[in-house]
Amino acid sequence: MSEQLVECIPNFSEGRRAEVIESIRSAITAVSGVIVLDLHKDADHNRSVITFAGPPQAAAEAAFAAIARAADLIDLDQHTGEHPRIGATDVVPFVPLSGVTMEDCVALARQVGRRVGQELGIPVYLYEAAATRPDRVNLENLRRGQYEGLREAIATDPDRAPDFGPSKLGKAGATVIGARAPLIAYNIYLSTSDVRVAKDIARAVRQSSGGLPYVKALGLDVEGLAQVSMNLTDFTRTSVTEVVERVRAEAARHGVTTVRSELVGLIPQAALFDTAARYLQLEGFEPRQVLETRLEEARRADSARGFLDRLAAPTAAPGGGSAAAYAGAMAAALVAMVARLTVGKKKYAGVQERMQVIAREAETWLQMLSASVEEDARAFEAVMEAMRLPKEGQEEAGRRQAAVEEATHGAAAVPLRVAEAASQVMELAAEAAALGNANALSDAASAGLLAAACLRAAALNVMTNAQSVEDREAAAEWEKSLNAARARADAAEERLRQAIASRGGLAVV
C-alpha cells in the first residue's frame, strides 16, 4: 500500500534560542500522525529548519500550529542573521512524498495560507507550484527587501499585496507558503574569510546569473568562513556532482579551495546514489545493487508472504473476506499505476487532469481495501468470540445470542463495504483502459478482473452472514446494496470490454 504522505519543511527565523526552537518543535509533534524527521539550526544564519512528514491534513494542521507558535515567540524587530527572511516563519513548502500529487500539495498550501491570514492575521504569499502570479514563483522575489523593506512596501505598493491576510506587517512579519518538488539545501565552505569570493562563486553557479540550471546560490559569511549557500531545485537535471565540481573550479580560479560542506535538512537517497555512481564511475549502476535497498525489498516481499502464510494456515481468520479485500487492493493499485503511467506523456495531454483524479481516487480505495484485509479478520474473530460465550441458562443464552447477532452484523458490514468499493474500482479500471496509456492496457484489464473477483468473493461473504442473522430487514438491505454494486460492476465490465476491443487488446474480460 502506498500511504498518503506529505513532507513539510518550515524555516523559522530563530537559530540561537534552544527553548524557542523546542517549543515550535513540540507544537508540530503534538499533532497526531506527524513525525519530525530532522531539525537543523544555525546560529550564524539565526535560522532553523524542521522537516516533518504525515498524512496531508495532519501535515497541514502541524504547519499551522508551528506558524502560530513561532508568531508568539519570535519578534522580527529584534532579529538579525545572515540569511534573508521576511517572517518569523519565513517559508513553508509542502512536498508530495507518496500517494499524493503536486496538486494536492498546492491545495494544502492554499488551505493553510488562507487560515494563517484569517486566524493569525499574518500576511501570506504563495510560491512555487502554488503561486498565483508568475513573478511569485521564485522565493527570492518575495524576499526582496527582506522584512525591513517589506514592512513599508506591503502597505504602499499594490504589487506587494499578500495572497491572504492583511497588507500590514506585525512582529511576526509575513510567511511564504507553497508546494514544490524535493529540494536539496547544500552549503559549501571555502578556505577564505573573504565573503566577496563566495558571492562571486555564487553568481557563477546560480541559474539566474547564467550558471547551472536548477541552482540557486548566495555568498555568505558564516563562522568566519565564506560560504556558498545553495538550493538544488532539481537534482535529476543538475546533479550534486556537477554543482560540487563547478564550485571547486570557481574556487580554484580565485585561488582558494573548498574545505567542507553541509546539508540543511534531508536529501533524497537517489541524489546520493547518483553522486556516488558518478564519482566512482560505476557503469550500469542500479539502486538495487545497494545492500540496504535489496534488504528492504526482501522485507517487503516477506511482509506480503507473511499474509499469504497466515491465509494458508489452519485457522478461520484471515479467510475469504480478507482475501477478497486483498484482491481489491491489488486492483486499485493497478489502476493507480496505469493512471500514473499516463500522466506526463505528451500523447495523452488531453486526459492529464482526469488521470490525476483517477490516481487519487484509486489511492483512496487502495488504502480503504488494504485496511479491510485486517478488519475482516477481526470482524470474523469477533463472531467466533461471541459464539464461545456461555449458553447454559436462559439469561446467558440470551446474551450470547445478542452478541452473536451484533458480531455477525459487523462481519457482514466489512465485506459489504469491500464489494461496494470493488464496483468503484471497476469503474476506474474501465476508464483507465479507455483513456490511459495503451502500453498498460493489460494492466487496466487485470485491475478489472481482480476487482470483479473481489466483488464476487465479498458478496459471498455478505450473503453467508445474511443467512445467519435474525434481523431479516437488515439482511434484505445488504442484498439490495449488493445488487446495486453488482449493477455498477456489470456496466463497468461492459465498458472495460469495449475499451479493450477498441484498442486492440485481447478479449478475455
Side-chain angles (χ1 to χ4, degrees):
M1 181 184 74
S2 180
E3 183 182 4
Q4 283 192 305
L5 281 178
V6 169
E7 180 187 26
C8 187
I9 314 98
N11 289 222
F12 304 98
S13 297
E14 178 58 65
R16 297 167 185 167
R17 294 181 294 167
E19 69 280 6
V20 170
I21 299 166
E22 180 55 34
S23 181
I24 295 171
R25 181 183 180 278
S26 296
I28 293 170
T29 58
V31 178
S32 177
V34 167
I35 300 173
V36 171
L37 303 174
D38 185 71
L39 192 162
H40 178 98
K41 58 183 179 179
D42 187 309
D44 288 285
H45 286 178
N46 201 5
R47 189 176 186 84
S48 294
V49 179
I50 300 178
T51 304
F52 64 87
Q57 287 306 314
E61 183 62 35
F64 179 83
I67 295 168
R69 185 67 55 83
D72 287 339
L73 300 176
I74 300 172
D75 183 349
L76 263 290
D77 289 330
Q78 308 299 321
H79 180 274
T80 59
E82 286 294 322
H83 203 286
R85 81 286 183 265
I86 60 171
T89 303
D90 189 51
V91 58
V92 182
F94 290 97
V95 177
L97 289 185
S98 68
V100 294
T101 65
M102 186 63 73
E103 289 75 14
D104 295 328
C105 286
V106 168
L108 281 184
R110 292 176 178 170
Q111 171 192 327
V112 175
R114 183 178 293 106
R115 189 178 174 195
V116 169
Q118 292 176 348
E119 297 183 28
L120 302 180
I122 295 173
V124 172
Y125 297 92
L126 298 173
Y127 87 121
E128 287 283 354
T132 56
R133 292 165 23 184
D135 60 324
R136 292 187 174 180
V137 172
N138 291 325
L139 183 58
E140 53 264 36
N141 292 340
L142 294 168
R143 283 209 191 110
R144 189 174 69 251
Q146 295 201 53
Y147 167 73
E148 290 77 11
L150 182 61
R151 187 164 46 192
E152 179 179 349
I154 195 172
T156 59
D157 183 355
D159 200 45
R160 302 298 296 275
D163 291 295
F164 300 110
S167 293
K168 179 181 179 181
L169 290 191
K171 67 181 181 64
T175 296
V176 182
I177 303 177
R180 60 165 173 78
L183 172 151
I184 300 172
Y186 180 59
N187 303 329
I188 296 180
Y189 291 84
L190 307 173
S191 62
T192 178
S193 60
D194 189 349
V195 73
R196 291 174 299 178
V197 174
K199 291 180 181 294
D200 285 346
I201 294 174
R203 190 177 302 111
V205 301
R206 66 181 173 235
Q207 181 176 358
S208 63
S209 302
L212 296 170
Y214 307 101
V215 175
K216 300 178 180 182
L218 293 171
L220 303 173
D221 177 6
V222 179
E223 298 176 349
L225 288 177
Q227 181 199 80
V228 183
S229 177
M230 295 172 287
N231 283 342
L232 283 55
T233 60
D234 190 343
F235 72 88
T236 66
R237 305 289 188 89
T238 299
S239 69
V240 178
T241 308
E242 292 174 275
V243 173
V244 171
E245 292 301 327
R246 177 65 72 87
V247 171
R248 285 177 176 171
E250 292 295 327
R253 199 168 62 81
H254 285 80
V256 301
T257 61
T258 61
V259 295
R260 61 185 172 90
S261 65
E262 66 180 0
L263 289 170
V264 178
L266 306 181
I267 185 171
Q269 187 180 63
L272 293 178
F273 286 166
D274 176 74
T275 301
R278 286 172 184 262
Y279 273 118
L280 297 175
Q281 296 180 297
L282 292 174
E283 185 175 348
F285 170 77
E286 295 182 1
R288 294 187 74 247
Q289 291 178 269
V290 176
L291 172 63
E292 288 80 2
T293 300
R294 190 67 64 87
L295 181 61
E296 181 59 27
E297 286 182 1
R299 284 174 173 165
R300 285 200 298 268
D302 282 347
S303 176
R305 179 55 196 260
F307 168 72
L308 296 176
D309 286 343
R310 288 170 58 208
L311 199 61
T315 56
S322 292
Y326 198 87
M330 289 192 292
L334 281 171
V335 171
M337 181 191 81
V338 174
R340 287 166 180 153
L341 285 172
T342 307
V343 172
K345 302 291 191 299
K346 288 184 179 180
K347 183 178 178 181
Y348 303 99
V351 297
Q352 296 290 298
E353 290 187 9
R354 182 54 192 161
M355 285 296 118
Q356 289 169 344
V357 171
I358 288 175
R360 288 198 295 271
E361 291 182 359
E363 189 68 44
T364 299
W365 293 120
L366 169 58
Q367 293 193 51
M368 176 266 176
L369 287 161
S370 297
S372 297
V373 172
E374 294 300 328
E375 286 177 8
D376 187 88
R378 288 195 296 269
F380 185 77
E381 287 168 354
V383 173
M384 299 300 293
E385 185 176 344
M387 294 183 71
R388 285 192 289 268
L389 291 173
K391 55 184 177 181
E392 293 77 13
Q394 185 175 354
E395 186 175 341
E396 288 184 338
R399 279 200 296 267
R400 177 182 180 277
Q401 185 176 352
V404 170
E405 177 79 4
E406 181 181 357
T408 305
H409 278 253
V414 178
L416 181 58
R417 290 197 301 270
V418 167
E420 292 170 338
S423 69
Q424 301 282 349
V425 173
M426 286 191 72
E427 290 180 338
L428 294 177
E431 192 171 359
L435 303 177
N437 192 326
N439 293 327
L441 181 59
S442 64
D443 299 296
S446 297
L449 290 169
L450 285 166
C454 168
L455 191 153
R456 292 185 176 98
L460 178 62
N461 279 268
V462 174
M463 296 312 297
T464 298
N465 285 293
Q467 291 179 347
S468 304
V469 295
E470 295 183 353
D471 188 344
R472 302 319 300 163
E473 288 185 9
E477 284 298 317
W478 298 344
E479 187 170 3
K480 182 179 177 181
S481 296
L482 280 179
N483 288 337
R486 289 189 185 106
R488 285 196 303 271
D490 288 344
E493 188 169 338
E494 181 56 33
R495 292 196 298 274
L496 183 60
R497 290 177 189 274
Q498 293 173 1
I500 294 170
S502 67
R503 305 186 79 179
L506 296 174
V508 295
V509 177

